[in-house]
Amino acid sequence: MTNNQGWTPARIYNVYRIAIACALLLLHYAPDSPLIGKHSPDLFQTALFVYLGLTLASTTLDLRRHRRAFPGWAQPTALISDLIMLTLVVHAQGGLEGGLAVLLLVTVAAGNILLRGRQGFLIAALATLSAMFEQFYFSIQEQFDSPFLLTESGLLGIAFFMVSLIIQQIAQRLEQSEQIARRQRVAIERLEALNQQIVQRMRTGVMVFDDQYQILMSNHSSNNLFDAPMLGKRLPQGLISRHERWQDNPMLPLATLRVSEQSPNLSPRFAKLDTGHESLTLLFLEDTSRVAQEAQQLNLASLGRLSATLAHEIRNPLSAINHATDLLLDGQPTEEDRHLLSIIRNHVIRVNGIIHDVLDLSRRGKGNAERFALSTVLNSVFDNWNMKSDTPSIVLACGNDIEVRFDPNQLTQILDNLISNALKHGGEGTRITLSCGTHSRTELPWLRVSDNGVGISEEAARHLFEPFYTTATDGNGLGLYLSRELCEANQATLDLEDTETGASFVITFAHPHRQFQ
């Protein structure tokens, strides 16, 4: 037992001692005549006052939690003192015939709760000897025929030892039950902490709601999908309608949805959570784009292995075709032949570029992320692009107080690709705006690259970040995919925003104080 648990029975016993001492004193000092203690009033009063004083002193020390005042011998000494004082009280009442010998039984029971083992049986033995002494003493005083007829005291002794044995068995079982309950509580707390860590670290959004669609639990990933923490709020209507559809037919696939302006397309899945006393529902929100990216990663991994194997075999014929084209151009080809040879050369260059990009993609390293002011990279990109044109087409609208953690070279590569795509596909007179800021809720820095061009069609937007998807005749479709891959390598995200005019891409960075693993 711990100290706190061990002293709880002692405090209850102290309350009993104070109450019984006060009750006996009140009965002794009755208004008309003493009801008890008539045989030896002086001894009765002295024993009770000493007993009450010792009880008050031990209770005061216990309440003040003076642990050093209670060494190992303190509790046995206190119980033995109780036996002595109560024996004197029984003696002053007239021995066992006075009816107060039952007080010894309570002391024996308390002693076996507080001490246990041989010390508990010692208290029972001392109480038995006290009862035998009282009967022997008063037998002599009353001049009975045989003072050794100790039937009453013997029966009391048997009762003392039986009480000791029963109390110790009960106390031992209670202690074992407490130890089992304590171990189970520790195991449950560990399991709960483990489950909490697993759920909170899951990339899948997990929520629990009741029959009234009140959200009872929401992990960190699901909170990031909404504009605010969802704990205690009502489930959004879009999810409620899908839950009702799932209840009608659990096997029916559910349509994806977006729960906020910043969230990706989510695939909801429901499951019953029966706790035994209430019916709850588990909701899993899976980012469909992440699943698609994982599938793309597998495809590109296979493609990288294939391209690494075949690059040499493909480049040799390409080199021969390109050399043959140069030889044909060195002669005197006709205008039609020049046009055909030009087509051949352009396609050779394009195929060679695709092989080069795929090989670079498969060999791409982890990057070297560092913390820096976003304005330093933006100013460099702004100056480089405006130097290429007499009419500046980029507007910079970002303060100097935004810091990010990213690989500067990779961020420059991403911005160059986004700006190049905007100028290529935006149409004549396209102007690009670079703006930045910090999200008010998450405190994550963001960078927006927007333009006022013709925009992106709905069909193209669905496949925009897929590898090898392109709407240009001379593109390989790896630019935006590589840009998103570079962002994810730096624990950032690249998303296309819905805009009325033009196109807008947003990079949401990780927190600048976060150290990447």
Side-chain angles (χ1 to χ4, degrees):
M1 289 178 115
T2 62
N3 289 337
N4 289 336
Q5 293 172 328
W7 280 114
T8 300
R11 291 175 181 175
I12 296 174
Y13 180 56
N14 285 336
V15 173
Y16 159 77
R17 294 161 71 194
I18 295 173
I20 201 66
C22 293
L24 292 175
L25 285 174
L26 289 175
L27 292 174
H28 180 69
Y29 289 107
D32 297 333
S33 62
L35 299 177
I36 57 175
K38 296 178 182 180
H39 184 270
S40 181
D42 293 337
L43 178 61
F44 191 85
Q45 296 173 20
T46 303
L48 279 179
F49 279 118
V50 173
Y51 179 64
L52 181 60
L54 292 174
T55 302
L56 291 174
S58 62
T59 303
T60 303
L61 290 175
D62 185 28
L63 292 175
R64 292 182 178 180
R65 298 181 180 273
H66 288 175
R67 300 298 182 196
R68 294 181 182 178
F70 293 95
W73 49 265
Q75 197 65 258
T77 303
L79 289 167
I80 293 173
S81 300
D82 285 356
L83 283 177
I84 295 173
M85 292 297 104
L86 290 176
T87 301
L88 293 176
V89 170
V90 171
H91 184 81
Q93 177 64 10
L96 301 181
E97 302 296 332
L100 295 182
V102 70
L103 299 177
L104 299 175
L105 188 62
V106 179
T107 303
V108 171
N112 282 271
I113 292 175
L114 298 175
L115 299 181
R116 314 279 180 83
R118 290 179 295 179
Q119 290 183 342
F121 288 117
L122 174 62
I123 300 299
L126 292 176
T128 303
L129 291 175
S130 299
M132 289 182 174
F133 170 77
E134 286 298 314
Q135 188 171 11
F136 180 79
Y137 176 83
F138 281 97
S139 296
I140 296 176
Q141 291 293 323
E142 298 294 336
Q143 297 180 353
F144 290 158
D145 294 338
S146 175
F148 296 102
L149 293 175
L150 305 176
T151 305
E152 187 175 355
S153 61
L155 291 175
L156 275 175
I158 294 174
F160 291 155
F161 278 97
M162 289 304 297
V163 167
S164 299
L165 182 61
I166 294 172
I167 290 295
Q168 290 210 25
Q169 289 294 323
I170 294 174
Q172 185 177 3
R173 292 193 177 187
L174 287 176
E175 185 175 3
Q176 291 175 352
S177 299
E178 289 179 357
Q179 291 176 353
I180 294 173
R182 193 182 304 116
R183 289 195 297 267
Q184 289 178 343
R185 185 179 70 250
V186 172
I188 291 173
E189 289 175 352
R190 289 175 179 172
L191 183 60
E192 184 178 357
L194 177 62
N195 291 338
Q196 187 73 9
Q197 286 293 325
I198 292 174
V199 171
Q200 290 298 331
R201 290 177 177 269
M202 286 178 62
R203 298 175 66 181
T204 302
V206 180
M207 303 175 73
V208 178
F209 59 90
D210 55 18
D211 294 336
Q212 286 72 41
Y213 298 106
Q214 196 76 11
I215 298 175
L216 306 179
M217 196 207 78
S218 177
N219 70 344
H220 182 70
S221 296
S222 62
N223 287 334
N224 288 338
L225 299 175
F226 295 84
D227 294 331
M230 297 301 292
L231 183 63
K233 295 185 178 180
R234 183 175 171 83
L235 200 67
Q237 186 58 42
L239 291 173
I240 293 177
S241 61
R242 282 163 176 78
H243 177 254
E244 294 173 347
R245 206 172 308 155
W246 172 79
Q247 285 181 315
D248 295 336
N249 187 357
M251 304 303 296
L252 186 67
L254 299 176
T256 60
L257 79 162
R258 299 186 65 179
V259 295
S260 67
E261 293 182 357
Q262 297 180 357
S263 76
N265 284 328
L266 302 176
S267 174
R269 290 181 292 113
F270 299 93
K272 283 293 183 182
L273 180 62
D274 190 3
T275 62
H277 60 276
E278 59 180 342
S279 179
L280 304 176
T281 305
L282 269 170
L283 169 61
F284 300 94
L285 296 173
E286 190 72 37
D287 186 354
T288 56
S289 61
R290 183 176 297 160
V291 176
Q293 289 171 14
E294 292 175 355
Q296 291 171 6
Q297 288 283 0
L298 295 176
N299 291 336
L300 280 181
S302 301
L303 182 61
R305 290 191 295 269
L306 178 63
S307 60
T309 304
L310 299 179
H312 179 72
E313 300 298 330
I314 295 176
R315 278 179 168 173
N316 283 341
L318 287 178
S319 178
I321 294 173
N322 191 49
H323 182 65
T325 303
D326 292 337
L327 292 177
L328 291 174
L329 288 173
D330 287 341
Q332 295 181 352
T334 63
E335 190 65 28
E336 183 179 357
D337 291 339
R338 285 183 179 276
H339 178 67
L340 295 176
L341 291 173
S342 177
I343 294 175
I344 294 173
R345 171 173 286 183
N346 289 337
H347 282 284
V348 167
I349 295 174
R350 182 181 178 186
V351 172
N352 191 61
I354 292 175
I355 295 174
H356 183 271
D357 289 341
V358 171
L359 289 176
D360 284 347
L361 188 62
S362 62
R363 297 169 184 167
R364 180 169 49 86
K366 184 179 180 181
N368 185 22
E370 60 183 68
R371 183 176 175 180
F372 59 90
L374 185 57
S375 58
T376 57
V377 171
L378 294 183
N379 289 331
S380 175
V381 172
F382 176 79
D383 294 337
N384 289 337
W385 277 94
N386 282 337
M387 286 176 59
K388 298 178 182 179
S389 175
D390 296 335
T391 58
S393 57
I394 300 177
V395 177
L396 184 59
C398 183
N400 298 324
D401 56 343
I402 305 297
E403 290 188 338
V404 298
R405 186 175 294 277
F406 211 96
D407 186 320
N409 294 327
Q410 292 180 352
L411 181 58
T412 301
Q413 181 181 350
I414 295 170
L415 292 176
D416 286 342
N417 183 57
L418 294 177
I419 293 172
S420 175
N421 285 344
L423 294 176
K424 181 186 297 184
H425 302 284
E428 187 177 354
T430 300
R431 295 186 64 83
I432 302 169
T433 302
L434 303 179
S435 57
C436 63
T438 303
H439 289 292
S440 58
R441 183 175 64 86
T442 61
E443 297 184 354
L444 298 180
W446 54 266
L447 170 63
R448 179 177 289 106
V449 181
S450 57
D451 62 69
N452 61 346
V454 297
I456 301 174
S457 65
E458 185 176 348
E459 174 64 23
R462 285 198 294 267
H463 308 282
L464 200 59
F465 294 100
E466 295 180 4
F468 305 110
Y469 176 81
T470 179
T471 58
T473 57
D474 57 347
N476 54 32
L478 288 175
L480 285 177
Y481 174 80
L482 181 58
S483 296
R484 173 171 275 187
E485 288 293 305
L486 292 176
C487 285
E488 291 184 354
N490 290 271
Q491 299 190 12
T493 59
L494 174 62
D495 299 292
L496 175 66
E497 283 187 322
D498 291 333
T499 55
E500 295 182 358
T501 59
S504 178
F505 292 86
V506 176
I507 301 174
T508 303
F509 300 91
H511 200 281
H513 297 295
R514 179 180 178 183
Q515 294 291 335
F516 297 168
Q517 299 295 328

Short mmCIF file of all heavy atoms in Angstrom, two decimals, residues 181-226:
data_model
loop_
_atom_site.label_atom_id
_atom_site.label_comp_id
_atom_site.label_asym_id
_atom_site.label_seq_id
_atom_site.Cartn_x
_atom_site.Cartn_y
_atom_site.Cartn_z
N ALA A 181 -6.20 -3.86 -9.65
CA ALA A 181 -6.87 -2.69 -10.22
C ALA A 181 -5.85 -1.61 -10.59
O ALA A 181 -5.99 -0.94 -11.63
CB ALA A 181 -7.88 -2.12 -9.21
N ARG A 182 -4.80 -1.47 -9.77
CA ARG A 182 -3.76 -0.47 -10.07
C ARG A 182 -3.00 -0.84 -11.33
O ARG A 182 -2.74 0.02 -12.20
CB ARG A 182 -2.81 -0.37 -8.88
CG ARG A 182 -1.89 0.84 -8.95
CD ARG A 182 -0.92 0.86 -7.76
NE ARG A 182 -1.66 0.84 -6.51
CZ ARG A 182 -1.59 -0.16 -5.61
NH1 ARG A 182 -0.83 -1.22 -5.86
NH2 ARG A 182 -2.28 -0.10 -4.50
N ARG A 183 -2.66 -2.13 -11.46
CA ARG A 183 -1.96 -2.56 -12.67
C ARG A 183 -2.84 -2.40 -13.90
O ARG A 183 -2.38 -1.99 -14.98
CB ARG A 183 -1.49 -4.01 -12.52
CG ARG A 183 -0.35 -4.19 -11.54
CD ARG A 183 0.29 -5.57 -11.72
NE ARG A 183 -0.65 -6.64 -11.41
CZ ARG A 183 -0.77 -7.22 -10.22
NH1 ARG A 183 -0.01 -6.80 -9.21
NH2 ARG A 183 -1.63 -8.19 -10.03
N GLN A 184 -4.11 -2.74 -13.76
CA GLN A 184 -5.02 -2.59 -14.89
C GLN A 184 -5.20 -1.12 -15.26
O GLN A 184 -5.28 -0.78 -16.45
CB GLN A 184 -6.37 -3.22 -14.55
CG GLN A 184 -6.34 -4.74 -14.48
CD GLN A 184 -7.68 -5.32 -14.08
OE1 GLN A 184 -8.54 -4.62 -13.56
NE2 GLN A 184 -7.86 -6.61 -14.31
N ARG A 185 -5.26 -0.25 -14.25
CA ARG A 185 -5.39 1.17 -14.55
C ARG A 185 -4.17 1.70 -15.29
O ARG A 185 -4.29 2.47 -16.25
CB ARG A 185 -5.60 1.95 -13.25
CG ARG A 185 -5.87 3.44 -13.50
CD ARG A 185 -6.09 4.21 -12.22
NE ARG A 185 -4.86 4.34 -11.46
CZ ARG A 185 -4.61 3.72 -10.30
NH1 ARG A 185 -5.52 2.90 -9.79
NH2 ARG A 185 -3.48 3.89 -9.66
N VAL A 186 -2.98 1.26 -14.85
CA VAL A 186 -1.76 1.69 -15.54
C VAL A 186 -1.76 1.18 -16.98
O VAL A 186 -1.41 1.91 -17.92
CB VAL A 186 -0.52 1.19 -14.77
CG1 VAL A 186 0.75 1.45 -15.58
CG2 VAL A 186 -0.41 1.89 -13.42
N ALA A 187 -2.17 -0.10 -17.15
CA ALA A 187 -2.20 -0.66 -18.51
C ALA A 187 -3.21 0.07 -19.38
O ALA A 187 -2.94 0.36 -20.56
CB ALA A 187 -2.54 -2.15 -18.44
N ILE A 188 -4.37 0.40 -18.81
CA ILE A 188 -5.39 1.12 -19.58
C ILE A 188 -4.90 2.53 -19.93
O ILE A 188 -5.10 3.01 -21.05
CB ILE A 188 -6.70 1.18 -18.77
CG1 ILE A 188 -7.32 -0.21 -18.68
CG2 ILE A 188 -7.69 2.15 -19.42
CD1 ILE A 188 -8.53 -0.29 -17.78
N GLU A 189 -4.23 3.19 -18.97
CA GLU A 189 -3.71 4.53 -19.24
C GLU A 189 -2.65 4.49 -20.34
O GLU A 189 -2.60 5.37 -21.21
CB GLU A 189 -3.14 5.13 -17.96
CG GLU A 189 -4.21 5.51 -16.93
CD GLU A 189 -3.62 6.00 -15.63
OE1 GLU A 189 -2.36 5.90 -15.48
OE2 GLU A 189 -4.37 6.48 -14.77
N ARG A 190 -1.78 3.49 -20.30
CA ARG A 190 -0.77 3.36 -21.35
C ARG A 190 -1.41 3.10 -22.70
O ARG A 190 -1.01 3.68 -23.71
CB ARG A 190 0.19 2.22 -21.00
CG ARG A 190 1.13 2.52 -19.83
CD ARG A 190 1.96 1.30 -19.49
NE ARG A 190 2.88 1.57 -18.39
CZ ARG A 190 3.61 0.64 -17.79
NH1 ARG A 190 3.51 -0.63 -18.19
NH2 ARG A 190 4.42 0.96 -16.81
N LEU A 191 -2.40 2.18 -22.70
CA LEU A 191 -3.09 1.88 -23.96
C LEU A 191 -3.81 3.10 -24.50
O LEU A 191 -3.79 3.37 -25.71
CB LEU A 191 -4.06 0.73 -23.74
CG LEU A 191 -4.83 0.23 -24.97
CD1 LEU A 191 -3.85 -0.28 -26.02
CD2 LEU A 191 -5.81 -0.87 -24.58
N GLU A 192 -4.44 3.87 -23.60
CA GLU A 192 -5.15 5.07 -24.03
C GLU A 192 -4.18 6.10 -24.58
O GLU A 192 -4.45 6.75 -25.61
CB GLU A 192 -5.92 5.65 -22.86
CG GLU A 192 -6.77 6.86 -23.22
CD GLU A 192 -7.56 7.40 -22.04
OE1 GLU A 192 -7.48 6.79 -20.95
OE2 GLU A 192 -8.23 8.42 -22.20
N ALA A 193 -3.02 6.26 -23.90
CA ALA A 193 -2.02 7.21 -24.39
C ALA A 193 -1.47 6.76 -25.74
O ALA A 193 -1.26 7.58 -26.64
CB ALA A 193 -0.88 7.35 -23.38
N LEU A 194 -1.25 5.44 -25.90
CA LEU A 194 -0.77 4.93 -27.18
C LEU A 194 -1.78 5.15 -28.29
O LEU A 194 -1.44 5.61 -29.39
CB LEU A 194 -0.45 3.44 -27.04
CG LEU A 194 0.01 2.72 -28.31
CD1 LEU A 194 1.31 3.32 -28.81
CD2 LEU A 194 0.19 1.23 -28.04
N ASN A 195 -3.05 4.83 -28.00
CA ASN A 195 -4.10 5.06 -29.01
C ASN A 195 -4.21 6.52 -29.37
O ASN A 195 -4.41 6.88 -30.54
CB ASN A 195 -5.44 4.54 -28.47
CG ASN A 195 -5.47 3.03 -28.37
OD1 ASN A 195 -4.71 2.34 -29.05
ND2 ASN A 195 -6.33 2.50 -27.52
N GLN A 196 -4.09 7.39 -28.35
CA GLN A 196 -4.18 8.83 -28.60
C GLN A 196 -3.06 9.29 -29.52
O GLN A 196 -3.27 10.06 -30.45
CB GLN A 196 -4.13 9.59 -27.26
CG GLN A 196 -4.38 11.08 -27.39
CD GLN A 196 -5.82 11.41 -27.67
OE1 GLN A 196 -6.69 10.54 -27.60
NE2 GLN A 196 -6.10 12.66 -27.96
N GLN A 197 -1.83 8.79 -29.25
CA GLN A 197 -0.70 9.18 -30.09
C GLN A 197 -0.87 8.66 -31.51
O GLN A 197 -0.58 9.37 -32.48
CB GLN A 197 0.60 8.64 -29.48
CG GLN A 197 1.06 9.37 -28.24
CD GLN A 197 1.47 10.80 -28.54
OE1 GLN A 197 2.02 11.10 -29.60
NE2 GLN A 197 1.18 11.70 -27.62
N ILE A 198 -1.35 7.42 -31.64
CA ILE A 198 -1.52 6.84 -32.97
C ILE A 198 -2.57 7.62 -33.76
O ILE A 198 -2.36 7.98 -34.93
CB ILE A 198 -1.91 5.36 -32.85
CG1 ILE A 198 -0.73 4.55 -32.30
CG2 ILE A 198 -2.33 4.80 -34.22
CD1 ILE A 198 -1.06 3.11 -32.01
N VAL A 199 -3.71 7.89 -33.11
CA VAL A 199 -4.80 8.60 -33.79
C VAL A 199 -4.37 10.01 -34.16
O VAL A 199 -4.66 10.50 -35.26
CB VAL A 199 -6.07 8.61 -32.91
CG1 VAL A 199 -7.14 9.52 -33.51
CG2 VAL A 199 -6.61 7.20 -32.76
N GLN A 200 -3.68 10.71 -33.25
CA GLN A 200 -3.29 12.08 -33.51
C GLN A 200 -2.22 12.18 -34.60
O GLN A 200 -2.15 13.17 -35.31
CB GLN A 200 -2.77 12.74 -32.22
CG GLN A 200 -3.84 13.00 -31.18
CD GLN A 200 -4.92 13.96 -31.67
OE1 GLN A 200 -4.68 14.83 -32.51
NE2 GLN A 200 -6.12 13.80 -31.15
N ARG A 201 -1.39 11.14 -34.74
CA ARG A 201 -0.32 11.18 -35.73
C ARG A 201 -0.74 10.61 -37.08
O ARG A 201 0.04 10.63 -38.03
CB ARG A 201 0.91 10.42 -35.22
CG ARG A 201 1.62 11.13 -34.07
CD ARG A 201 2.77 10.30 -33.55
NE ARG A 201 3.49 11.00 -32.50
CZ ARG A 201 4.51 11.80 -32.69
NH1 ARG A 201 4.95 12.00 -33.91
NH2 ARG A 201 5.12 12.41 -31.69
N MET A 202 -1.95 10.08 -37.16
CA MET A 202 -2.42 9.52 -38.43
C MET A 202 -2.58 10.62 -39.48
O MET A 202 -3.03 11.72 -39.17
CB MET A 202 -3.76 8.80 -38.23
CG MET A 202 -3.65 7.47 -37.53
SD MET A 202 -5.27 6.70 -37.28
CE MET A 202 -5.81 6.49 -38.98
N ARG A 203 -2.20 10.31 -40.69
CA ARG A 203 -2.39 11.26 -41.79
C ARG A 203 -3.84 11.30 -42.24
O ARG A 203 -4.29 12.27 -42.84
CB ARG A 203 -1.47 10.88 -42.95
CG ARG A 203 0.01 10.94 -42.62
CD ARG A 203 0.86 10.45 -43.75
NE ARG A 203 0.79 11.32 -44.90
CZ ARG A 203 1.43 11.10 -46.04
NH1 ARG A 203 2.16 10.01 -46.19
NH2 ARG A 203 1.30 11.94 -47.05
N THR A 204 -4.58 10.23 -41.93
CA THR A 204 -6.01 10.20 -42.24
C THR A 204 -6.78 10.96 -41.17
O THR A 204 -6.52 10.80 -39.98
CB THR A 204 -6.50 8.74 -42.30
OG1 THR A 204 -5.75 8.04 -43.29
CG2 THR A 204 -7.97 8.69 -42.62
N GLY A 205 -7.73 11.78 -41.58
CA GLY A 205 -8.57 12.48 -40.62
C GLY A 205 -9.53 11.51 -39.94
O GLY A 205 -10.20 10.73 -40.61
N VAL A 206 -9.57 11.53 -38.61
CA VAL A 206 -10.43 10.63 -37.83
C VAL A 206 -11.32 11.48 -36.93
O VAL A 206 -10.83 12.35 -36.20
CB VAL A 206 -9.60 9.66 -36.98
CG1 VAL A 206 -10.52 8.73 -36.17
CG2 VAL A 206 -8.67 8.83 -37.85
N MET A 207 -12.63 11.22 -36.98
CA MET A 207 -13.59 11.93 -36.15
C MET A 207 -14.58 10.92 -35.58
O MET A 207 -14.85 9.88 -36.18
CB MET A 207 -14.35 13.00 -36.96
CG MET A 207 -13.44 14.02 -37.62
SD MET A 207 -14.33 15.18 -38.68
CE MET A 207 -15.13 16.19 -37.45
N VAL A 208 -15.13 11.24 -34.40
CA VAL A 208 -16.16 10.43 -33.75
C VAL A 208 -17.35 11.34 -33.46
O VAL A 208 -17.17 12.41 -32.87
CB VAL A 208 -15.64 9.78 -32.45
CG1 VAL A 208 -16.76 8.98 -31.78
CG2 VAL A 208 -14.44 8.89 -32.73
N PHE A 209 -18.55 10.92 -33.86
CA PHE A 209 -19.74 11.74 -33.59
C PHE A 209 -20.87 10.83 -33.12
O PHE A 209 -20.87 9.61 -33.34
CB PHE A 209 -20.16 12.55 -34.83
CG PHE A 209 -20.48 11.72 -36.04
CD1 PHE A 209 -21.77 11.27 -36.29
CD2 PHE A 209 -19.49 11.40 -36.95
CE1 PHE A 209 -22.06 10.52 -37.40
CE2 PHE A 209 -19.77 10.64 -38.07
CZ PHE A 209 -21.06 10.20 -38.30
N ASP A 210 -21.87 11.45 -32.45
CA ASP A 210 -22.98 10.69 -31.88
C ASP A 210 -24.18 10.73 -32.80
O ASP A 210 -24.09 11.18 -33.96
CB ASP A 210 -23.34 11.21 -30.48
CG ASP A 210 -23.65 12.70 -30.50
OD1 ASP A 210 -23.92 13.25 -31.59
OD2 ASP A 210 -23.63 13.33 -29.43
N ASP A 211 -25.33 10.27 -32.29
CA ASP A 211 -26.54 10.20 -33.11
C ASP A 211 -27.06 11.58 -33.50
O ASP A 211 -27.81 11.72 -34.47
CB ASP A 211 -27.64 9.43 -32.38
CG ASP A 211 -27.27 7.97 -32.20
OD1 ASP A 211 -26.46 7.48 -33.00
OD2 ASP A 211 -27.78 7.33 -31.25
N GLN A 212 -26.71 12.62 -32.71
CA GLN A 212 -27.13 13.99 -33.03
C GLN A 212 -26.09 14.71 -33.90
O GLN A 212 -26.14 15.93 -34.04
CB GLN A 212 -27.36 14.79 -31.75
CG GLN A 212 -28.65 14.42 -31.01
CD GLN A 212 -28.57 13.08 -30.34
OE1 GLN A 212 -27.54 12.75 -29.75
NE2 GLN A 212 -29.65 12.31 -30.38
N TYR A 213 -25.11 13.95 -34.43
CA TYR A 213 -24.05 14.49 -35.30
C TYR A 213 -23.19 15.51 -34.55
O TYR A 213 -22.65 16.44 -35.16
CB TYR A 213 -24.63 15.10 -36.57
CG TYR A 213 -25.36 14.10 -37.42
CD1 TYR A 213 -26.75 14.09 -37.50
CD2 TYR A 213 -24.66 13.14 -38.15
CE1 TYR A 213 -27.43 13.15 -38.27
CE2 TYR A 213 -25.33 12.20 -38.92
CZ TYR A 213 -26.70 12.21 -38.98
OH TYR A 213 -27.36 11.28 -39.74
N GLN A 214 -23.07 15.34 -33.23
CA GLN A 214 -22.17 16.17 -32.44
C GLN A 214 -20.79 15.51 -32.43
O GLN A 214 -20.66 14.33 -32.09
CB GLN A 214 -22.70 16.32 -31.01
CG GLN A 214 -22.07 17.44 -30.21
CD GLN A 214 -22.59 18.80 -30.62
OE1 GLN A 214 -23.57 18.89 -31.35
NE2 GLN A 214 -21.96 19.86 -30.15
N ILE A 215 -19.76 16.26 -32.79
CA ILE A 215 -18.41 15.70 -32.89
C ILE A 215 -17.81 15.59 -31.49
O ILE A 215 -17.67 16.58 -30.78
CB ILE A 215 -17.54 16.58 -33.80
CG1 ILE A 215 -18.11 16.60 -35.22
CG2 ILE A 215 -16.10 16.05 -33.83
CD1 ILE A 215 -17.39 17.53 -36.17
N LEU A 216 -17.46 14.35 -31.12
CA LEU A 216 -16.91 14.08 -29.78
C LEU A 216 -15.40 13.97 -29.78
O LEU A 216 -14.77 14.14 -28.74
CB LEU A 216 -17.51 12.78 -29.22
CG LEU A 216 -19.04 12.71 -29.19
CD1 LEU A 216 -19.49 11.37 -28.64
CD2 LEU A 216 -19.62 13.86 -28.37
N MET A 217 -14.81 13.66 -30.92
CA MET A 217 -13.36 13.56 -31.01
C MET A 217 -12.92 13.89 -32.42
O MET A 217 -13.60 13.55 -33.39
CB MET A 217 -12.89 12.14 -30.64
CG MET A 217 -11.40 12.05 -30.34
SD MET A 217 -10.72 10.40 -30.67
CE MET A 217 -10.59 10.44 -32.45
N SER A 218 -11.78 14.58 -32.52
CA SER A 218 -11.26 14.96 -33.83
C SER A 218 -9.74 15.02 -33.73
O SER A 218 -9.20 15.72 -32.87
CB SER A 218 -11.84 16.33 -34.25
OG SER A 218 -11.30 16.75 -35.47
N ASN A 219 -9.05 14.27 -34.58
CA ASN A 219 -7.59 14.28 -34.50
C ASN A 219 -7.01 15.48 -35.25
O ASN A 219 -7.72 16.25 -35.90
CB ASN A 219 -7.01 12.96 -35.01
CG ASN A 219 -7.18 12.81 -36.52
OD1 ASN A 219 -7.96 13.51 -37.14
ND2 ASN A 219 -6.45 11.87 -37.09
N HIS A 220 -5.69 15.60 -35.17
CA HIS A 220 -5.01 16.78 -35.73
C HIS A 220 -5.18 16.86 -37.25
O HIS A 220 -5.37 17.95 -37.80
CB HIS A 220 -3.52 16.71 -35.37
CG HIS A 220 -2.73 17.90 -35.85
ND1 HIS A 220 -2.87 19.16 -35.31
CD2 HIS A 220 -1.80 18.01 -36.83
CE1 HIS A 220 -2.05 20.00 -35.94
NE2 HIS A 220 -1.40 19.33 -36.86
N SER A 221 -5.13 15.71 -37.94
CA SER A 221 -5.25 15.73 -39.40
C SER A 221 -6.62 16.21 -39.84
O SER A 221 -6.74 16.97 -40.81
CB SER A 221 -4.98 14.33 -39.95
OG SER A 221 -3.66 13.93 -39.67
N SER A 222 -7.68 15.77 -39.14
CA SER A 222 -9.02 16.22 -39.53
C SER A 222 -9.22 17.70 -39.22
O SER A 222 -9.90 18.40 -39.97
CB SER A 222 -10.07 15.38 -38.80
OG SER A 222 -9.97 15.53 -37.40
N ASN A 223 -8.62 18.20 -38.14
CA ASN A 223 -8.74 19.63 -37.83
C ASN A 223 -8.10 20.48 -38.93
O ASN A 223 -8.58 21.58 -39.24
CB ASN A 223 -8.10 19.94 -36.48
CG ASN A 223 -8.92 19.42 -35.32
OD1 ASN A 223 -10.13 19.27 -35.43
ND2 ASN A 223 -8.28 19.15 -34.21
N ASN A 224 -7.01 19.98 -39.51
CA ASN A 224 -6.33 20.74 -40.56
C ASN A 224 -7.16 20.81 -41.84
O ASN A 224 -6.93 21.68 -42.68
CB ASN A 224 -4.97 20.12 -40.86
CG ASN A 224 -3.98 20.35 -39.74
OD1 ASN A 224 -4.13 21.29 -38.95
ND2 ASN A 224 -2.96 19.53 -39.65
N LEU A 225 -8.12 19.89 -42.00
CA LEU A 225 -8.95 19.90 -43.20
C LEU A 225 -10.05 20.95 -43.14
O LEU A 225 -10.60 21.32 -44.17
CB LEU A 225 -9.58 18.52 -43.41
CG LEU A 225 -8.59 17.36 -43.62
CD1 LEU A 225 -9.34 16.05 -43.69
CD2 LEU A 225 -7.76 17.58 -44.89
N PHE A 226 -10.37 21.42 -41.92
CA PHE A 226 -11.43 22.40 -41.74
C PHE A 226 -10.82 23.77 -41.41
O PHE A 226 -9.63 23.89 -41.16
CB PHE A 226 -12.38 21.96 -40.62
CG PHE A 226 -13.14 20.70 -40.93
CD1 PHE A 226 -12.57 19.46 -40.70
CD2 PHE A 226 -14.42 20.75 -41.46
CE1 PHE A 226 -13.26 18.28 -40.99
CE2 PHE A 226 -15.11 19.58 -41.75
CZ PHE A 226 -14.53 18.36 -41.52
#
